[in-house]
Amino acid sequence: MDLDSVIGQLKGIGEKRAQLFAKLGVFTIYDLLHLYPRTYEDWSSPCAIRDAPREEPCCVRVTVTQEMQATPTRSGLVLYKGAVTDGHTPMEVTIFNSSYQAQKLRAGEEYYLYGKIEMGIGMARMSAPEIAPAAQEPALRPVYPQTKGLNSAAIARAVRQALLALRETYPDCLPDRLRQKYQLCAIGYALEKIHFPASQEELEIARRRLIFEELLLLQLGMIRLRHRSREASGVCLTHNYTEEFLRSLPFSPTGAQVRAVREACADMRTGLPMNRLLQGDVGSGKTAVAAALVYELARNGLQCAVMAPTEILAEQHYRTFTALLDGTGIRVELLTGSLRAKAKREVHARLEDGSCQVAVGTHALISESVRFRDLGLVITDEQHRFGVAQRMALAHKGVNPHLYVMSATPIPRTLSLIIYGDLDVSVLDERPPGRRDIATYAVPGALHPRIYNLLRKTVREGGQAYIVCPLAEQSDGSTLLSAAEYAKKLQDGPLRDCRIGLLYGRMRSAEKDRVMRAFAAGELDILVSTTVIEVGVDVPNACVMVIENADHFGLPQLHQLRGRVGRGERESMCILVSDAGGETAKRRLHVMCETADGFKIAQEDLKLRGPGDFFGARQHGLPNLRIADMMRDMDILKQAREAALLWSQYDPDLRRTSSRELRREVLRLFANVEGGLN
Ligand code: ADP
Ligand code: MG
């Protein structure tokens, strides 16, 4: 038996059991050993009955003072009642319908009981406890993620077998040097103790090792993904066209925009590849900065690729870049998945022969058949939706091109180090002039008539509005209106005099584009949509944002949505409609009404959600972690980062013998990451 053997090889695991394990994602012995307990029942430090915590199960050590007596009940169940004491406090014990359990408790003998203790009048009570003889070693008992038909005890038995078979030969992926330096236990010990610790101390030792290992593997993998030669970039800019472009803009750039452009251009003149993040809140004007860089590159005879997460956004960028670069002779092309084959081939040809300098698109840009003659700069917008692998795939279409990522989401430094490595940051901390505060209100559904009044008035005055619904199509059981139904209801009823457009994710993209264009051109008054407009959409004349069932959205998402208005001359407003009664829901919406600062909103979000969820790792294209939590385990993360850097200096490609197991585990961790590692 080895790690890759299927669990059916264990005793007591037939086909049926194996299927249950499969539901938990366990197929091989490896999976089984790494199915870590969700939590533990602590039988290692019994407490006194009178100190027992409320509402939480605990362990007590007791002597049976009165044997269990059967009392039949009217419902036909048999109730067993008896009494125990911990030496100070007597307690009544009740067992339901199990003579087997009841007979375990013999008068005069000592036991551990595990369960919830209720403090009744004059008497403590425990119902249906788990029972172990006091002679048994006290320990922590694993509680596994369970599925129907497969309980923790059954899982624990399988784990025990696997441990017995493999404990001695399990390959330790951590090189001795690292284990010593960071004082980490051996893998055999860690696996045994993560499942069956005798004490909290043992558990901590095991956890620390496994968390460290996972975070180390994560970072080694990310370093490999990001790996770029630190040697000369293929593209060192020699001429400076910044001022020329900034003068040509239809507005005067903010100080922050000018600074950001200069910082990036300075990077691109050093001869080394730029690696820079542009962080700016929604509406801070990131696109104009990107356009300036594109202009700079094109004037220097180089090509740029601009990648956006959605077709709508790619199309909008295409329009913006085309407009801003109009009359310069710079050719911009749009490349998305929905382009017809012939058009696609033509764009490919123009990128390859260099007659087109700027490709704006979705991940269609990564496609193998896309080649550039001279790719100098890769820009990704709202990048937290791209995996590192995708960004690097694009970068590999040039020779060490410069990288520029733009984001509205503030990312904690430690997390950004993992995702981007060492990168420089420019901040757009100044709002373009004329940017208006967006008055934000949280209101109940009962106010819909007033909302419709407001919308009619807005449209009469020449303004436009968005109405966002959480779901495009009604999933069964859900009472939420779909965007399509809602649009129809409004068109047939309260907003019959307005021109209403509809936009949702599954629409054909030519159709999406048509609707978006019509809205941007003012041919539609109101756009009913799902969150497809969440990122980046820019129609300055839109001044009212209504978000239905607002409690169904995350705070950063609400912030993004709200950022679609307040972009032009008009007084703008955001209305969050919600009938949710919960405290958290109310507080979240309250935060939105109180602040317009994206950073604060992200922080509040973290507070209200708890760290586990922070910036869903998957969104960043990171692999799923089994035991580590990047926010909670920040200290270990830092050590693991140091270790990863040390090791990758010593053996960058993980080719040495001492890296063999490390390499295998890194590949295993990244097996399911889009783009993957090799
Ligand atoms: P984001 O940072 O959210 O991507 P955009 O680049 O979409 O923001 O810019 C938002 C709007 O502000 C656009 O309509 C853009 O034309 C406008 N804008 C950008 N910079 C300025 C400026 N310096 N002065 C006036 N308007 C600006
Ligand atoms: Mg944008």
Side-chain angles (χ1 to χ4, degrees):
M1 187 159 42
D2 63 25
L3 287 175
D4 295 319
S5 308
V6 293
I7 55 164
Q9 297 213 358
L10 293 171
K11 263 187 252 124
I13 299 191
E15 206 165 305
K16 267 222 171 109
R17 270 270 136 110
Q19 277 170 11
L20 293 175
F21 271 104
K23 281 195 193 164
L24 297 174
V26 173
F27 300 92
T28 64
I29 301 289
Y30 177 93
D31 301 335
L32 179 64
L33 289 176
H34 294 270
L35 178 73
Y36 301 136
R38 206 162 39 78
T39 174
Y40 301 82
E41 290 179 356
D42 190 350
W43 295 62
S44 72
S45 39
C47 63
I49 292 173
R50 63 161 181 260
D51 299 336
R54 298 269 155 127
E55 298 296 313
E56 262 172 57
C58 66
C59 181
V60 290
R61 185 182 167 122
V62 296
T63 309
V64 176
T65 49
Q66 186 199 321
E67 202 129 329
M68 305 297 287
Q69 303 270 328
T71 353
T73 64
R74 247 184 269 156
S75 61
L77 289 176
V78 187
L79 220 59
Y80 298 87
K81 283 195 178 180
V84 299
T85 176
D86 65 356
H88 297 281
T89 317
M91 179 168 79
E92 185 182 271
V93 174
T94 311
I95 291 171
F96 303 105
N97 227 26
S98 168
S99 67
Y100 170 73
Q101 283 283 36
Q103 278 165 17
K104 279 188 185 169
L105 295 175
R106 292 171 188 272
E109 305 273 323
E110 269 196 280
Y111 300 91
Y112 291 113
L113 301 184
Y114 189 93
K116 267 188 212 166
I117 293 178
E118 278 171 61
M119 286 298 173
I121 307 159
M123 186 65 147
R125 282 200 198 92
M126 190 185 257
S127 301
E130 288 181 61
I131 302 166
Q136 195 170 313
E137 282 281 302
L140 278 72
R141 292 195 184 178
V143 180
Y144 292 96
Q146 287 165 35
T147 180
K148 207 169 161 219
L150 190 61
N151 62 21
S152 272
I155 296 172
R157 272 196 304 277
V159 172
R160 242 183 241 286
Q161 267 192 68
L163 274 175
L164 268 177
L166 286 171
R167 190 166 37 196
E168 303 302 328
T169 54
Y170 195 104
D172 198 330
C173 71
L174 288 185
D176 289 344
R177 272 172 51 195
L178 291 184
R179 271 212 305 125
Q180 276 156 20
K181 183 163 163 50
Y182 294 98
Q183 304 196 335
L184 301 162
C185 68
I187 186 67
Y189 183 91
L191 284 178
E192 164 140 21
K193 297 307 183 183
I194 198 71
H195 291 287
F196 307 111
S199 64
Q200 291 287 352
E201 290 72 45
E202 289 188 357
L203 176 59
E204 264 327 295
I205 293 171
R207 274 176 54 81
R208 180 161 169 273
R209 138 91 208 207
L210 294 171
I211 291 171
F212 185 100
E213 173 185 320
E214 195 166 46
L215 293 173
L216 175 73
L217 297 174
L218 171 69
Q219 297 183 78
L220 284 173
M222 295 308 278
I223 290 172
R224 280 178 63 78
L225 265 182
R226 276 197 320 263
H227 183 68
R228 307 216 279 155
S229 139
R230 267 293 170 190
E231 283 148 34
S233 168
V235 279
C236 178
L237 300 191
T238 45
H239 292 80
N240 186 348
Y241 300 91
T242 308
E243 311 304 325
E244 178 181 311
F245 180 79
L246 293 178
R247 268 199 308 277
S248 80
L249 282 173
F251 41 74
S252 57
T254 64
Q257 283 171 319
V258 175
R259 198 169 352 106
V261 174
R262 288 203 180 126
E263 283 166 354
C265 288
D267 285 358
M268 294 190 283
R269 269 183 225 109
T270 60
L272 295 173
M274 166 171 75
N275 211 17
R276 188 173 277 276
L277 170 71
L278 175 65
Q279 196 165 302
D281 205 350
V282 179
S284 57
K286 295 186 286 294
T287 320
V289 174
L293 303 189
V294 164
Y295 183 80
E296 191 80 20
L297 268 276
R299 274 279 175 268
N300 276 277
L302 296 157
Q303 290 173 298
C304 300
V306 183
M307 186 159 67
T310 65
E311 294 210 350
I312 290 186
L313 195 51
E315 278 152 12
Q316 177 183 289
H317 277 340
Y318 170 70
R319 287 194 293 272
T320 310
F321 284 115
T322 310
L324 290 178
L325 300 172
D326 187 36
T328 60
I330 297 171
R331 181 160 192 162
V332 186
E333 297 278 7
L334 176 67
L335 197 58
T336 63
S338 58
L339 223 58
R340 277 173 214 274
K342 180 158 172 282
K344 210 178 275 179
R345 273 198 306 274
E346 285 167 11
V347 175
H348 287 180
R350 285 195 287 274
L351 288 173
E352 195 159 0
D353 70 16
S355 56
C356 158
Q357 291 89 355
V358 188
V360 180
T362 55
H363 51 264
L365 287 168
I366 304 173
S367 147
E368 196 132 350
S369 43
V370 178
R371 288 188 204 89
F372 291 84
R373 197 181 63 127
D374 215 346
L375 181 62
L377 169 65
V378 167
I379 300 178
T380 49
D381 188 15
E382 313 291 349
Q383 43 52 49
H384 62 280
R385 304 212 168 192
F386 292 115
V388 189
Q390 291 167 307
R391 188 158 53 244
M392 295 321 291
L394 189 48
H396 282 131
K397 293 182 183 293
V399 184
N400 275 332
H402 301 292
L403 288 188
Y404 200 64
V405 291
M406 306 196 289
S407 171
T409 319
I411 302 175
R413 174 85 182 138
T414 34
L415 191 53
S416 93
L417 275 174
I418 293 181
I419 301 173
Y420 308 111
D422 270 318
L423 91 182
D424 304 298
V425 181
S426 298
V427 182
L428 291 186
D429 51 6
E430 205 177 321
R431 289 202 285 177
R435 210 26 65 78
R436 300 180 172 270
D437 286 336
I438 304 162
T440 302
Y441 307 95
V443 305
L447 291 194
H448 268 122
R450 285 177 59 188
I451 297 173
Y452 300 143
N453 271 338
L454 171 82
L455 289 170
R456 282 191 296 263
K457 178 163 167 283
T458 303
V459 170
R460 261 201 317 277
E461 289 167 358
Q464 290 169 284
Y466 299 98
I467 302 178
V468 177
C469 306
L471 290 175
E473 275 135 57
Q474 210 151 348
S475 53
D476 33 75
S478 154
T479 55
L480 299 176
L481 269 185
S482 78
E485 285 170 346
Y486 195 39
K488 181 157 179 355
K489 195 180 129 195
L490 294 175
Q491 187 73 82
D492 293 345
L495 301 181
R496 76 180 70 75
D497 297 329
C498 305
R499 296 165 300 172
I500 298 180
L502 173 66
L503 199 66
Y504 56 89
R506 288 210 219 146
M507 252 155 88
R508 295 221 348 258
S509 85
E511 184 64 5
K512 271 189 217 165
D513 190 35
R514 195 186 59 75
V515 173
M516 220 36 239
R517 273 175 201 273
F519 187 69
E523 291 155 14
L524 292 170
D525 303 312
I526 292 177
L527 190 60
V528 177
S529 128
T530 59
T531 51
V532 289
I533 58 154
E534 175 189 344
V535 284
V537 167
D538 183 39
V539 178
N541 192 47
C543 58
V544 177
M545 166 65 67
V546 178
I547 303 176
E548 301 285 349
N549 296 300
D551 49 288
H552 285 250
F553 296 97
L555 282 186
Q557 216 178 356
L558 289 175
H559 182 60
Q560 278 286 345
L561 286 168
R562 176 169 62 183
R564 298 312 111 216
V565 297
R567 294 177 161 249
E569 297 300 308
R570 294 174 184 277
E571 207 64 65
S572 291
M573 196 185 287
C574 173
I575 300 170
L576 308 170
V577 188
S578 164
D579 286 320
E583 262 324 294
T584 316
K586 281 190 183 145
R587 272 203 32 215
R588 281 160 27 104
L589 297 185
H590 182 71
V591 169
M592 289 301 298
C593 299
E594 289 298 293
T595 179
D597 179 334
F599 203 85
K600 262 196 211 140
I601 289 174
Q603 279 174 333
E604 282 300 320
D605 191 50
L606 177 59
K607 263 195 242 159
L608 293 174
R609 272 206 290 182
D613 251 356
F614 197 40
F615 295 123
R618 227 185 259 262
Q619 268 201 15
H620 292 288
L622 300 180
N624 279 333
L625 300 179
R626 286 177 190 267
I627 188 167
D629 177 316
M630 284 187 274
M631 290 297 143
R632 183 197 58 205
D633 302 322
M634 199 75 89
D635 291 340
I636 306 181
L637 180 68
K638 284 178 190 153
Q639 292 182 341
R641 173 168 172 78
E642 180 191 279
L645 291 175
L646 269 176
W647 199 262
S648 50
Q649 267 164 21
Y650 165 69
D651 184 13
D653 296 322
L654 301 180
R655 290 288 174 199
R656 295 183 193 240
T657 327
S658 51
S659 303
R660 205 176 65 208
E661 297 301 330
L662 262 185
R663 180 181 165 80
R664 207 178 64 179
E665 291 303 310
V666 169
L667 292 180
R668 200 195 287 271
L669 181 64
F670 280 75
N672 294 322
V673 170
E674 205 185 336
L677 258 183
N678 45 51

